[in-house]
Amino acid sequence: MDELMAQRLAKLDQLRAMGIDPYPPRATRTHTAAEVTALVEASDPVQTDTHLAPVDVAGRVVARRDMGKATFVDLLDGTGRIQVLLRQNQLGDVAYEALRLIDLGDFIGVHGEPMRTRTGQPTVGAATWTMLAKALHAPPEKYHGLADMELRQRLRYLDLMANEDTRRNFTVRSRVVSGIRRFLDGRGFMEVETPILQEAAGGAAARPFVTHFNALDEDRFLRISLELHLKRLVVGGFDRVYEMGRIFRNEGLGFKYNPEFTMLETYEAYADYNHVARMVETMVSTVAEEALGTMTCSFRGNEINLAPPWERITFHDALRHYGQLDLDGFPTAERLRPELERRGLEVAPAAGFGKLVDEAMSHYVEPNLIQPTFLLDYPVELSPLAKRKPGSPHLVERFEAFIGGFEAGNAYTELNDPVDQRARFEEQLALRAAGDDEVELVDDDFLFALEHGMPPTGGFGMGIDRLLMVLTGQPTIREVILFPQLRSLKD
RNA sequence: GGGCCCGUAGCUCAGCGGUAGAGCAGUGGACUUUUAAUCCAUUGGUCGUGGGUUCGAAUCCCCCCGGGCCUACCA
């Protein structure tokens, strides 16, 4: 039925008949592909008879060019490609004939001298070869790679095998994540882990996933943010904490949405949102420089420069500037809604002032914030966990960071007044009663913690996946998540 | 959830009422410095699934399955 697989299974049998284990438990490798290339580059660049000491390389067979009594094979390992040259007079007739049993996708090891070919290509001239692991399926097409989006996501290993860009994106992701940890650790932050299964999912306005804890016969919610637990730790006396971990929101899929995504949150006692802004622009630009070698990147047709300082503009000024909308003239939901409707914006009937303002901002301001920008001082209705701005009781000390036209981070001077916090939760409750089901829930346990005193604190949150979209220049979040959510396949 | 588009060989794609095609991969052959190797020959298909229209369906219509883009809610 599956003829290609049957052929490969037959080759397995032939290998075993020759006394060769097609899946040996160990491999010998003295050099990676990159190391051999460097070794050859560092030696006499002219092709000569000078002999370098033999090396052992190992990798997946990704290309094969059979020339009769000489065969070229390209091996791919974690560091890149290396060409090997297998010649009948070097290997002997039996070992050379056995090359028939090597297919694309197999892992082999080669022992031989590093050399250059006539064209100067660094190559290992094989003295012997070893089967390391036989593949039973053919790899994707060598030139076009794996292009089908669905296959690339469902069979990510094939995507990684075939497409160098994919390998690069996830390599960058790894470097960015470790770079962020290094940056924060270097500033005296302590990494902590807080519960994913929670009795109440708070800290953000989003629908949670629900699961059930059998032993206690109680429902649990998967966390939708990290905020409330991290602040409890600040109450407890950990001055600088952060967590980078998966959070879950029971919402739709889209080019910038995956229901599980990685969130970074930091909390720094004795800092405010101005401190945080300086830290964020320094952190993102530093990490970009480390991971990409540059502070500029290309995203959705724009060249983005991440070098600090980033642009700063207040929420009010931005709406005035980009939307010709002056909130001073529309201070309540009752006044603002008809104005937005007059302008042709669609707004939910249950939307309170906060949601209306947010809608206006998303429509007029957000798409214009291509270069990194801090949008400062949000309306209090939109930010139930942020501290009010002195002298402006309707504003809070909050910023969102925008890059490439969408939100990449969110920060505030944390609300540490437990009485005000309780009042804000209750305002959210009123919104819920009015029909908005995506609001902050009252969290009495968190309030009890705040009542014990939390120092003035600057907090920050950032979607790592979205940052990665910008840094790698990928147009969809699925390109920076190894295994994005997909509908399950039914027979 | 709504709109538009896509599903053909292991992979990348043509074909869009009249005998199912190409390139790569595979198989056999030639070739000891190639590198998208080249050259000769050749195997391989329930055309996503199920129904319908038709003398005849990969092609037209409908249902379903999966995916992509746009759109709405959420970061």
PDB file of all heavy atoms in Angstrom, chain B residues 25-36:
ATOM      1  P     A B  25      15.297  14.427  -6.799  1.00  0.00           P
ATOM      2  OP1   A B  25      16.670  14.540  -6.275  1.00  0.00           O
ATOM      3  OP2   A B  25      15.062  13.815  -8.120  1.00  0.00           O
ATOM      4  O5'   A B  25      14.397  13.637  -5.746  1.00  0.00           O
ATOM      5  C5'   A B  25      14.514  13.897  -4.358  1.00  0.00           C
ATOM      6  C4'   A B  25      13.546  13.041  -3.579  1.00  0.00           C
ATOM      7  O4'   A B  25      12.187  13.388  -3.954  1.00  0.00           O
ATOM      8  C3'   A B  25      13.638  11.545  -3.849  1.00  0.00           C
ATOM      9  O3'   A B  25      14.691  10.934  -3.137  1.00  0.00           O
ATOM     10  C2'   A B  25      12.267  11.091  -3.369  1.00  0.00           C
ATOM     11  O2'   A B  25      12.182  11.076  -1.963  1.00  0.00           O
ATOM     12  C1'   A B  25      11.384  12.219  -3.908  1.00  0.00           C
ATOM     13  N9    A B  25      10.961  11.882  -5.274  1.00  0.00           N
ATOM     14  C8    A B  25      11.445  12.363  -6.463  1.00  0.00           C
ATOM     15  N7    A B  25      10.873  11.838  -7.521  1.00  0.00           N
ATOM     16  C5    A B  25       9.960  10.939  -6.987  1.00  0.00           C
ATOM     17  C6    A B  25       9.050  10.054  -7.586  1.00  0.00           C
ATOM     18  N6    A B  25       8.893   9.930  -8.902  1.00  0.00           N
ATOM     19  N1    A B  25       8.289   9.291  -6.780  1.00  0.00           N
ATOM     20  C2    A B  25       8.440   9.413  -5.458  1.00  0.00           C
ATOM     21  N3    A B  25       9.263  10.212  -4.775  1.00  0.00           N
ATOM     22  C4    A B  25      10.004  10.953  -5.613  1.00  0.00           C
ATOM     23  P     G B  26      15.487   9.730  -3.788  1.00  0.00           P
ATOM     24  OP1   G B  26      16.454   9.242  -2.792  1.00  0.00           O
ATOM     25  OP2   G B  26      15.953  10.156  -5.126  1.00  0.00           O
ATOM     26  O5'   G B  26      14.357   8.638  -4.004  1.00  0.00           O
ATOM     27  C5'   G B  26      13.743   8.007  -2.889  1.00  0.00           C
ATOM     28  C4'   G B  26      12.766   6.963  -3.356  1.00  0.00           C
ATOM     29  O4'   G B  26      11.742   7.589  -4.167  1.00  0.00           O
ATOM     30  C3'   G B  26      13.358   5.898  -4.276  1.00  0.00           C
ATOM     31  O3'   G B  26      13.998   4.884  -3.537  1.00  0.00           O
ATOM     32  C2'   G B  26      12.123   5.401  -5.008  1.00  0.00           C
ATOM     33  O2'   G B  26      11.373   4.532  -4.196  1.00  0.00           O
ATOM     34  C1'   G B  26      11.340   6.699  -5.186  1.00  0.00           C
ATOM     35  N9    G B  26      11.599   7.339  -6.493  1.00  0.00           N
ATOM     36  C8    G B  26      12.188   8.564  -6.705  1.00  0.00           C
ATOM     37  N7    G B  26      12.263   8.874  -7.972  1.00  0.00           N
ATOM     38  C5    G B  26      11.695   7.792  -8.633  1.00  0.00           C
ATOM     39  C6    G B  26      11.494   7.568 -10.024  1.00  0.00           C
ATOM     40  O6    G B  26      11.796   8.302 -10.975  1.00  0.00           O
ATOM     41  N1    G B  26      10.895   6.333 -10.258  1.00  0.00           N
ATOM     42  C2    G B  26      10.515   5.446  -9.279  1.00  0.00           C
ATOM     43  N2    G B  26       9.963   4.317  -9.705  1.00  0.00           N
ATOM     44  N3    G B  26      10.691   5.650  -7.978  1.00  0.00           N
ATOM     45  C4    G B  26      11.275   6.838  -7.732  1.00  0.00           C
ATOM     46  P     U B  27      15.355   4.230  -4.073  1.00  0.00           P
ATOM     47  OP1   U B  27      15.831   3.321  -3.012  1.00  0.00           O
ATOM     48  OP2   U B  27      16.247   5.280  -4.610  1.00  0.00           O
ATOM     49  O5'   U B  27      14.821   3.367  -5.302  1.00  0.00           O
ATOM     50  C5'   U B  27      13.969   2.249  -5.077  1.00  0.00           C
ATOM     51  C4'   U B  27      13.589   1.630  -6.399  1.00  0.00           C
ATOM     52  O4'   U B  27      12.748   2.556  -7.142  1.00  0.00           O
ATOM     53  C3'   U B  27      14.753   1.363  -7.355  1.00  0.00           C
ATOM     54  O3'   U B  27      15.446   0.167  -7.034  1.00  0.00           O
ATOM     55  C2'   U B  27      14.031   1.297  -8.693  1.00  0.00           C
ATOM     56  O2'   U B  27      13.346   0.078  -8.843  1.00  0.00           O
ATOM     57  C1'   U B  27      12.998   2.420  -8.534  1.00  0.00           C
ATOM     58  N1    U B  27      13.504   3.710  -9.054  1.00  0.00           N
ATOM     59  C2    U B  27      13.412   3.925 -10.416  1.00  0.00           C
ATOM     60  O2    U B  27      12.963   3.091 -11.192  1.00  0.00           O
ATOM     61  N3    U B  27      13.882   5.136 -10.849  1.00  0.00           N
ATOM     62  C4    U B  27      14.409   6.137 -10.066  1.00  0.00           C
ATOM     63  O4    U B  27      14.782   7.186 -10.598  1.00  0.00           O
ATOM     64  C5    U B  27      14.483   5.843  -8.666  1.00  0.00           C
ATOM     65  C6    U B  27      14.034   4.664  -8.213  1.00  0.00           C
ATOM     66  P     G B  28      17.043   0.143  -7.260  1.00  0.00           P
ATOM     67  OP1   G B  28      17.506  -1.119  -6.644  1.00  0.00           O
ATOM     68  OP2   G B  28      17.640   1.437  -6.834  1.00  0.00           O
ATOM     69  O5'   G B  28      17.179   0.051  -8.840  1.00  0.00           O
ATOM     70  C5'   G B  28      16.796  -1.145  -9.499  1.00  0.00           C
ATOM     71  C4'   G B  28      16.993  -1.009 -10.982  1.00  0.00           C
ATOM     72  O4'   G B  28      16.061  -0.036 -11.518  1.00  0.00           O
ATOM     73  C3'   G B  28      18.350  -0.477 -11.437  1.00  0.00           C
ATOM     74  O3'   G B  28      19.373  -1.451 -11.381  1.00  0.00           O
ATOM     75  C2'   G B  28      18.024  -0.039 -12.861  1.00  0.00           C
ATOM     76  O2'   G B  28      17.912  -1.157 -13.717  1.00  0.00           O
ATOM     77  C1'   G B  28      16.642   0.587 -12.660  1.00  0.00           C
ATOM     78  N9    G B  28      16.762   2.029 -12.419  1.00  0.00           N
ATOM     79  C8    G B  28      16.733   2.701 -11.217  1.00  0.00           C
ATOM     80  N7    G B  28      16.887   3.995 -11.358  1.00  0.00           N
ATOM     81  C5    G B  28      17.035   4.181 -12.722  1.00  0.00           C
ATOM     82  C6    G B  28      17.234   5.358 -13.482  1.00  0.00           C
ATOM     83  O6    G B  28      17.332   6.516 -13.082  1.00  0.00           O
ATOM     84  N1    G B  28      17.332   5.087 -14.852  1.00  0.00           N
ATOM     85  C2    G B  28      17.253   3.852 -15.409  1.00  0.00           C
ATOM     86  N2    G B  28      17.376   3.777 -16.737  1.00  0.00           N
ATOM     87  N3    G B  28      17.060   2.746 -14.720  1.00  0.00           N
ATOM     88  C4    G B  28      16.959   2.978 -13.393  1.00  0.00           C
ATOM     89  P     G B  29      20.876  -0.949 -11.178  1.00  0.00           P
ATOM     90  OP1   G B  29      21.710  -2.177 -11.176  1.00  0.00           O
ATOM     91  OP2   G B  29      20.943   0.002 -10.028  1.00  0.00           O
ATOM     92  O5'   G B  29      21.187  -0.111 -12.502  1.00  0.00           O
ATOM     93  C5'   G B  29      21.391  -0.791 -13.731  1.00  0.00           C
ATOM     94  C4'   G B  29      21.570   0.181 -14.874  1.00  0.00           C
ATOM     95  O4'   G B  29      20.458   1.110 -14.925  1.00  0.00           O
ATOM     96  C3'   G B  29      22.774   1.120 -14.803  1.00  0.00           C
ATOM     97  O3'   G B  29      23.989   0.461 -15.091  1.00  0.00           O
ATOM     98  C2'   G B  29      22.386   2.151 -15.863  1.00  0.00           C
ATOM     99  O2'   G B  29      22.546   1.623 -17.159  1.00  0.00           O
ATOM    100  C1'   G B  29      20.884   2.312 -15.561  1.00  0.00           C
ATOM    101  N9    G B  29      20.673   3.460 -14.670  1.00  0.00           N
ATOM    102  C8    G B  29      20.379   3.468 -13.329  1.00  0.00           C
ATOM    103  N7    G B  29      20.284   4.675 -12.851  1.00  0.00           N
ATOM    104  C5    G B  29      20.515   5.511 -13.942  1.00  0.00           C
ATOM    105  C6    G B  29      20.535   6.932 -14.048  1.00  0.00           C
ATOM    106  O6    G B  29      20.345   7.765 -13.162  1.00  0.00           O
ATOM    107  N1    G B  29      20.818   7.341 -15.348  1.00  0.00           N
ATOM    108  C2    G B  29      21.061   6.510 -16.407  1.00  0.00           C
ATOM    109  N2    G B  29      21.327   7.099 -17.572  1.00  0.00           N
ATOM    110  N3    G B  29      21.030   5.196 -16.322  1.00  0.00           N
ATOM    111  C4    G B  29      20.756   4.767 -15.071  1.00  0.00           C
ATOM    112  P     A B  30      25.361   1.040 -14.452  1.00  0.00           P
ATOM    113  OP1   A B  30      26.439   0.085 -14.807  1.00  0.00           O
ATOM    114  OP2   A B  30      25.119   1.408 -13.043  1.00  0.00           O
ATOM    115  O5'   A B  30      25.594   2.383 -15.272  1.00  0.00           O
ATOM    116  C5'   A B  30      25.909   2.334 -16.660  1.00  0.00           C
ATOM    117  C4'   A B  30      26.252   3.716 -17.173  1.00  0.00           C
ATOM    118  O4'   A B  30      25.063   4.557 -17.124  1.00  0.00           O
ATOM    119  C3'   A B  30      27.274   4.491 -16.349  1.00  0.00           C
ATOM    120  O3'   A B  30      28.600   4.081 -16.632  1.00  0.00           O
ATOM    121  C2'   A B  30      26.986   5.930 -16.793  1.00  0.00           C
ATOM    122  O2'   A B  30      27.563   6.181 -18.055  1.00  0.00           O
ATOM    123  C1'   A B  30      25.461   5.906 -16.921  1.00  0.00           C
ATOM    124  N9    A B  30      24.799   6.397 -15.705  1.00  0.00           N
ATOM    125  C8    A B  30      24.306   5.687 -14.644  1.00  0.00           C
ATOM    126  N7    A B  30      23.773   6.431 -13.700  1.00  0.00           N
ATOM    127  C5    A B  30      23.936   7.731 -14.173  1.00  0.00           C
ATOM    128  C6    A B  30      23.578   8.987 -13.651  1.00  0.00           C
ATOM    129  N6    A B  30      22.975   9.151 -12.481  1.00  0.00           N
ATOM    130  N1    A B  30      23.872  10.084 -14.385  1.00  0.00           N
ATOM    131  C2    A B  30      24.489   9.917 -15.572  1.00  0.00           C
ATOM    132  N3    A B  30      24.865   8.790 -16.159  1.00  0.00           N
ATOM    133  C4    A B  30      24.555   7.717 -15.411  1.00  0.00           C
ATOM    134  P     C B  31      29.649   3.945 -15.398  1.00  0.00           P
ATOM    135  OP1   C B  31      30.869   3.292 -15.944  1.00  0.00           O
ATOM    136  OP2   C B  31      28.962   3.366 -14.209  1.00  0.00           O
ATOM    137  O5'   C B  31      30.020   5.455 -15.052  1.00  0.00           O
ATOM    138  C5'   C B  31      30.694   6.271 -16.004  1.00  0.00           C
ATOM    139  C4'   C B  31      30.586   7.710 -15.592  1.00  0.00           C
ATOM    140  O4'   C B  31      29.192   8.101 -15.552  1.00  0.00           O
ATOM    141  C3'   C B  31      31.083   8.037 -14.178  1.00  0.00           C
ATOM    142  O3'   C B  31      32.490   8.157 -14.122  1.00  0.00           O
ATOM    143  C2'   C B  31      30.362   9.344 -13.912  1.00  0.00           C
ATOM    144  O2'   C B  31      30.980  10.415 -14.589  1.00  0.00           O
ATOM    145  C1'   C B  31      28.992   9.072 -14.542  1.00  0.00           C
ATOM    146  N1    C B  31      28.025   8.558 -13.551  1.00  0.00           N
ATOM    147  C2    C B  31      27.222   9.482 -12.860  1.00  0.00           C
ATOM    148  O2    C B  31      27.337  10.685 -13.124  1.00  0.00           O
ATOM    149  N3    C B  31      26.349   9.031 -11.934  1.00  0.00           N
ATOM    150  C4    C B  31      26.255   7.726 -11.678  1.00  0.00           C
ATOM    151  N4    C B  31      25.392   7.330 -10.764  1.00  0.00           N
ATOM    152  C5    C B  31      27.070   6.761 -12.365  1.00  0.00           C
ATOM    153  C6    C B  31      27.935   7.219 -13.283  1.00  0.00           C
ATOM    154  P     U B  32      33.272   7.537 -12.840  1.00  0.00           P
ATOM    155  OP1   U B  32      34.511   6.895 -13.306  1.00  0.00           O
ATOM    156  OP2   U B  32      32.293   6.772 -12.015  1.00  0.00           O
ATOM    157  O5'   U B  32      33.664   8.845 -12.034  1.00  0.00           O
ATOM    158  C5'   U B  32      32.692   9.593 -11.318  1.00  0.00           C
ATOM    159  C4'   U B  32      33.386  10.387 -10.241  1.00  0.00           C
ATOM    160  O4'   U B  32      33.899   9.479  -9.228  1.00  0.00           O
ATOM    161  C3'   U B  32      34.571  11.205 -10.746  1.00  0.00           C
ATOM    162  O3'   U B  32      34.554  12.444 -10.053  1.00  0.00           O
ATOM    163  C2'   U B  32      35.778  10.383 -10.306  1.00  0.00           C
ATOM    164  O2'   U B  32      36.927  11.158 -10.049  1.00  0.00           O
ATOM    165  C1'   U B  32      35.261   9.783  -8.990  1.00  0.00           C
ATOM    166  N1    U B  32      35.945   8.555  -8.592  1.00  0.00           N
ATOM    167  C2    U B  32      36.650   8.581  -7.395  1.00  0.00           C
ATOM    168  O2    U B  32      36.715   9.574  -6.709  1.00  0.00           O
ATOM    169  N3    U B  32      37.278   7.411  -7.082  1.00  0.00           N
ATOM    170  C4    U B  32      37.274   6.264  -7.802  1.00  0.00           C
ATOM    171  O4    U B  32      37.889   5.287  -7.382  1.00  0.00           O
ATOM    172  C5    U B  32      36.527   6.304  -9.033  1.00  0.00           C
ATOM    173  C6    U B  32      35.902   7.428  -9.375  1.00  0.00           C
ATOM    174  P     U B  33      34.720  13.813 -10.903  1.00  0.00           P
ATOM    175  OP1   U B  33      33.648  13.824 -11.926  1.00  0.00           O
ATOM    176  OP2   U B  33      36.134  13.960 -11.308  1.00  0.00           O
ATOM    177  O5'   U B  33      34.412  14.938  -9.832  1.00  0.00           O
ATOM    178  C5'   U B  33      33.078  15.127  -9.350  1.00  0.00           C
ATOM    179  C4'   U B  33      33.031  16.396  -8.538  1.00  0.00           C
ATOM    180  O4'   U B  33      33.662  16.150  -7.257  1.00  0.00           O
ATOM    181  C3'   U B  33      33.775  17.560  -9.184  1.00  0.00           C
ATOM    182  O3'   U B  33      33.097  18.766  -8.891  1.00  0.00           O
ATOM    183  C2'   U B  33      35.131  17.532  -8.476  1.00  0.00           C
ATOM    184  O2'   U B  33      35.762  18.786  -8.411  1.00  0.00           O
ATOM    185  C1'   U B  33      34.720  17.063  -7.069  1.00  0.00           C
ATOM    186  N1    U B  33      35.792  16.370  -6.332  1.00  0.00           N
ATOM    187  C2    U B  33      36.382  17.037  -5.272  1.00  0.00           C
ATOM    188  O2    U B  33      36.059  18.166  -4.942  1.00  0.00           O
ATOM    189  N3    U B  33      37.366  16.353  -4.632  1.00  0.00           N
ATOM    190  C4    U B  33      37.808  15.090  -4.911  1.00  0.00           C
ATOM    191  O4    U B  33      38.701  14.596  -4.234  1.00  0.00           O
ATOM    192  C5    U B  33      37.157  14.457  -6.021  1.00  0.00           C
ATOM    193  C6    U B  33      36.186  15.105  -6.686  1.00  0.00           C
ATOM    194  P     U B  34      32.405  19.687 -10.068  1.00  0.00           P
ATOM    195  OP1   U B  34      32.768  19.092 -11.360  1.00  0.00           O
ATOM    196  OP2   U B  34      32.742  21.084  -9.768  1.00  0.00           O
ATOM    197  O5'   U B  34      30.837  19.517  -9.836  1.00  0.00           O
ATOM    198  C5'   U B  34      30.119  18.433 -10.408  1.00  0.00           C
ATOM    199  C4'   U B  34      29.084  17.944  -9.434  1.00  0.00           C
ATOM    200  O4'   U B  34      29.736  17.367  -8.275  1.00  0.00           O
ATOM    201  C3'   U B  34      28.202  19.039  -8.854  1.00  0.00           C
ATOM    202  O3'   U B  34      27.149  19.393  -9.716  1.00  0.00           O
ATOM    203  C2'   U B  34      27.695  18.369  -7.574  1.00  0.00           C
ATOM    204  O2'   U B  34      26.675  17.452  -7.865  1.00  0.00           O
ATOM    205  C1'   U B  34      28.931  17.595  -7.136  1.00  0.00           C
ATOM    206  N1    U B  34      29.725  18.334  -6.127  1.00  0.00           N
ATOM    207  C2    U B  34      29.225  18.376  -4.846  1.00  0.00           C
ATOM    208  O2    U B  34      28.178  17.850  -4.536  1.00  0.00           O
ATOM    209  N3    U B  34      29.982  19.065  -3.950  1.00  0.00           N
ATOM    210  C4    U B  34      31.168  19.701  -4.198  1.00  0.00           C
ATOM    211  O4    U B  34      31.746  20.279  -3.276  1.00  0.00           O
ATOM    212  C5    U B  34      31.632  19.612  -5.548  1.00  0.00           C
ATOM    213  C6    U B  34      30.906  18.947  -6.448  1.00  0.00           C
ATOM    214  P     U B  35      26.573  20.933  -9.740  1.00  0.00           P
ATOM    215  OP1   U B  35      25.432  20.944 -10.660  1.00  0.00           O
ATOM    216  OP2   U B  35      27.699  21.880  -9.911  1.00  0.00           O
ATOM    217  O5'   U B  35      26.027  21.145  -8.256  1.00  0.00           O
ATOM    218  C5'   U B  35      24.849  20.484  -7.808  1.00  0.00           C
ATOM    219  C4'   U B  35      24.646  20.758  -6.344  1.00  0.00           C
ATOM    220  O4'   U B  35      25.801  20.327  -5.600  1.00  0.00           O
ATOM    221  C3'   U B  35      24.510  22.225  -5.986  1.00  0.00           C
ATOM    222  O3'   U B  35      23.186  22.648  -6.207  1.00  0.00           O
ATOM    223  C2'   U B  35      24.904  22.241  -4.517  1.00  0.00           C
ATOM    224  O2'   U B  35      23.840  21.809  -3.687  1.00  0.00           O
ATOM    225  C1'   U B  35      25.991  21.157  -4.480  1.00  0.00           C
ATOM    226  N1    U B  35      27.352  21.729  -4.538  1.00  0.00           N
ATOM    227  C2    U B  35      27.913  22.142  -3.345  1.00  0.00           C
ATOM    228  O2    U B  35      27.325  22.054  -2.283  1.00  0.00           O
ATOM    229  N3    U B  35      29.171  22.652  -3.452  1.00  0.00           N
ATOM    230  C4    U B  35      29.910  22.797  -4.601  1.00  0.00           C
ATOM    231  O4    U B  35      31.041  23.269  -4.526  1.00  0.00           O
ATOM    232  C5    U B  35      29.261  22.345  -5.792  1.00  0.00           C
ATOM    233  C6    U B  35      28.026  21.839  -5.724  1.00  0.00           C
ATOM    234  P     A B  36      22.734  24.181  -6.243  1.00  0.00           P
ATOM    235  OP1   A B  36      22.885  24.674  -7.626  1.00  0.00           O
ATOM    236  OP2   A B  36      23.422  24.873  -5.147  1.00  0.00           O
ATOM    237  O5'   A B  36      21.169  24.123  -5.916  1.00  0.00           O
ATOM    238  C5'   A B  36      20.695  23.456  -4.761  1.00  0.00           C
ATOM    239  C4'   A B  36      19.617  22.439  -5.124  1.00  0.00           C
ATOM    240  O4'   A B  36      18.412  23.137  -5.549  1.00  0.00           O
ATOM    241  C3'   A B  36      19.994  21.497  -6.262  1.00  0.00           C
ATOM    242  O3'   A B  36      19.457  20.213  -6.017  1.00  0.00           O
ATOM    243  C2'   A B  36      19.284  22.094  -7.471  1.00  0.00           C
ATOM    244  O2'   A B  36      18.922  21.136  -8.432  1.00  0.00           O
ATOM    245  C1'   A B  36      18.025  22.647  -6.819  1.00  0.00           C
ATOM    246  N9    A B  36      17.421  23.759  -7.556  1.00  0.00           N
ATOM    247  C8    A B  36      18.033  24.855  -8.099  1.00  0.00           C
ATOM    248  N7    A B  36      17.208  25.671  -8.679  1.00  0.00           N
ATOM    249  C5    A B  36      15.968  25.076  -8.517  1.00  0.00           C
ATOM    250  C6    A B  36      14.685  25.447  -8.922  1.00  0.00           C
ATOM    251  N6    A B  36      14.422  26.550  -9.580  1.00  0.00           N
ATOM    252  N1    A B  36      13.673  24.622  -8.595  1.00  0.00           N
ATOM    253  C2    A B  36      13.934  23.503  -7.907  1.00  0.00           C
ATOM    254  N3    A B  36      15.109  23.052  -7.469  1.00  0.00           N
ATOM    255  C4    A B  36      16.080  23.896  -7.822  1.00  0.00           C
TER     256        A B  36
END
